[in-house]
Amino acid sequence: VQLQASGGGLVEAGGSLRLSCKASGDFFSISTLGWLRQAPGKERELVAESSSTGSTTYAASVKGRFTISRDTVKSTVYLEMDALKPEDTAVYYCSGTFLTESGSQVPYLGQGTQVTVSS
């Protein structure tokens, strides 16, 4: 399974960015798709996650500013980030849990994309 993320960049505080991540490869179905981030000197943290049932989870620090959505047909997840703050600066990683034909749930992590918010 491959997770190809795009959309990072440099933006001023208060601005917006949209991240995209497309899943491809050999899997039966997608259970969850989401985003993690890791800022310099900090541990990786969950930003947002979308399940196959349609439920979403957000970190408290981004709730109300970030919106996660997914296109099931395209196997793609998006993260719309509004009202960005300098503390949102981090490498953002696409993540997912995939159901194999054998019935196993397997997690994958994609390559990161840098998001930098200037003050």
Side-chain angles (χ1 to χ4, degrees):
V1 174
Q2 295 80 42
L3 294 168
Q4 184 66 45
S6 61
L10 173 65
V11 64
E12 292 184 351
S16 298
L17 279 176
R18 189 190 196 209
L19 304 182
S20 300
C21 176
K22 180 174 178 57
S24 62
D26 187 16
F27 54 86
F28 182 73
S29 65
I30 302 175
S31 297
T32 65
L33 283 174
W35 297 90
L36 308 173
R37 69 183 180 187
Q38 187 166 20
K42 295 187 177 181
E43 293 188 355
R44 193 174 295 164
E45 63 174 352
L46 175 69
V47 178
E49 186 174 78
S50 172
S51 77
S52 58
T53 63
S55 66
T56 56
T57 302
Y58 293 94
S61 59
V62 307
K63 195 171 291 186
R65 299 187 297 120
F66 291 11
T67 303
I68 190 169
S69 61
R70 61 194 281 180
D71 185 325
T72 303
V73 174
K74 296 181 179 179
S75 298
T76 300
V77 64
Y78 306 96
L79 186 67
E80 182 71 38
M81 304 184 293
D82 299 318
L84 282 161
K85 304 175 181 179
E87 49 263 45
D88 294 317
T89 295
V91 177
Y92 284 70
Y93 298 89
C94 179
S95 66
T97 304
F98 297 81
L99 180 66
T100 67
E101 290 196 11
S102 65
S104 300
Q105 295 277 2
V106 183
Y108 286 88
L109 189 69
Q111 93 287 0
T113 184
Q114 178 70 45
V115 172
T116 303
V117 184
S118 63
S119 56

